[in-house]
Amino acid sequence: MYKLLVVDDEPKIREVIREYAEFNGYEVTEAADGMSAVGLVKLNDYDLVILDIMMPKLDGFSACKKIKKIKDVPVIMLSARGEEYDKLFGFELGIDDYVVKPFSPKELMARINVVLARRNAAPQTRSDVLKFGGLEINIAARTVSVDGERIDLTPKEYDLLFYLIENRNIALSRDKLLSDIWGYDFFGDDRTIDTHIKNLRNALGPYRDYIVTLRGVGYKFEYDE
């Protein structure tokens, strides 16, 4: 049984999510503010955190940063604000989805299922460790090293890098990257992908040129044996 942590200062929102989640077979824990959520994540293991942005004591963005430092747990952000800036900032923090209030509980459940299915899917690869010159990706451990030194990536940056590598030397459009990595029809623009690519290139340092921009198309990971 998957365990969800639902964090929102509105009791009615928590009640609706709990009702639908438990009906779908999930175990639900509730928290009314960001500080409580961080404390619960320190003490317990959750399969997914649903996190509101506007909360007392500690807002959702700040709580997400702290949670990601504690455990690599998927996060779905809730917000009454649908501004593009908030969405992009959330994805830069490593969230897996962004849902604008008011939302359909059925749609939220569908998004939860997609995130968990994607996170728990077995990697389709012949080796747990992939090497491209001095760039090394350990799939099982979800770590990336550059010239022997481990680098820090957000979960979404890792997913994007692995997807590019899995499809190396293949042109991938921004729409396909958004669809296959985020797992739903993204209501935003291409800057989400561009921002993550920029962060990846900065992290890869001397191997940044492995990620090639295809003008008017998208990107590809280019590496010849």
Side-chain angles (χ1 to χ4, degrees), residues 1-182:
M1 179 183 292
Y2 287 122
K3 296 181 179 180
L4 307 182
L5 174 60
V6 178
V7 190
D8 198 301
D9 61 328
E10 298 182 50
K12 185 62 178 178
I13 295 292
R14 300 200 306 270
E15 179 185 345
V16 169
I17 296 175
R18 171 187 283 276
E19 182 177 306
Y20 274 80
E22 289 182 342
F23 179 79
N24 283 272
Y26 293 106
E27 181 180 323
V28 179
T29 300
E30 297 182 25
D33 60 76
M35 289 297 294
S36 299
V38 172
L40 285 168
V41 171
K42 287 181 179 178
L43 298 174
N44 305 281
D45 290 326
Y46 298 101
D47 297 291
L48 186 142
V49 177
I50 300 171
L51 192 62
D52 186 35
I53 292 180
M54 302 300 293
M55 292 187 296
K57 298 183 180 179
L58 190 69
D59 67 90
F61 287 138
S62 300
C64 182
K65 286 182 182 179
K66 292 180 179 293
I67 287 171
K68 290 294 186 179
K69 289 181 179 179
I70 299 169
K71 291 175 183 173
D72 180 19
V73 57
V75 172
I76 293 179
M77 197 75 81
L78 300 179
S79 179
R81 305 185 308 187
E83 284 85 351
E84 180 185 44
Y85 171 81
D86 288 333
K87 293 181 181 180
L88 293 176
F89 186 62
F91 286 123
E92 288 175 13
L93 292 178
I95 69 171
D96 293 78
D97 205 342
Y98 189 107
V99 178
V100 179
K101 297 178 180 178
F103 56 85
S104 160
K106 290 182 179 179
E107 179 186 356
L108 177 60
M109 289 302 109
R111 291 174 183 255
I112 290 171
N113 292 336
V114 167
V115 170
L116 289 174
R118 184 172 63 245
R119 177 58 69 98
N120 294 294
Q124 300 298 312
T125 180
R126 297 179 180 179
S127 172
D128 283 343
V129 179
L130 300 175
K131 294 183 179 181
F132 306 93
L135 176 63
E136 181 175 302
I137 294 90
N138 188 314
I139 297 165
R142 286 180 69 86
T143 60
V144 178
S145 297
V146 171
D147 293 332
E149 184 174 339
R150 181 171 170 177
I151 62 174
D152 291 325
L153 298 177
T154 67
K156 194 59 64 180
E157 288 166 0
Y158 178 89
D159 290 341
L160 177 57
L161 177 60
F162 179 69
Y163 188 84
L164 288 167
I165 289 173
E166 187 180 42
N167 296 278
R168 55 187 171 275
N169 299 321
I170 297 175
L172 300 167
S173 69
R174 290 176 175 82
D175 287 343
K176 182 168 180 58
L177 290 170
L178 284 170
S179 175
D180 289 357
I181 297 171
W182 271 261

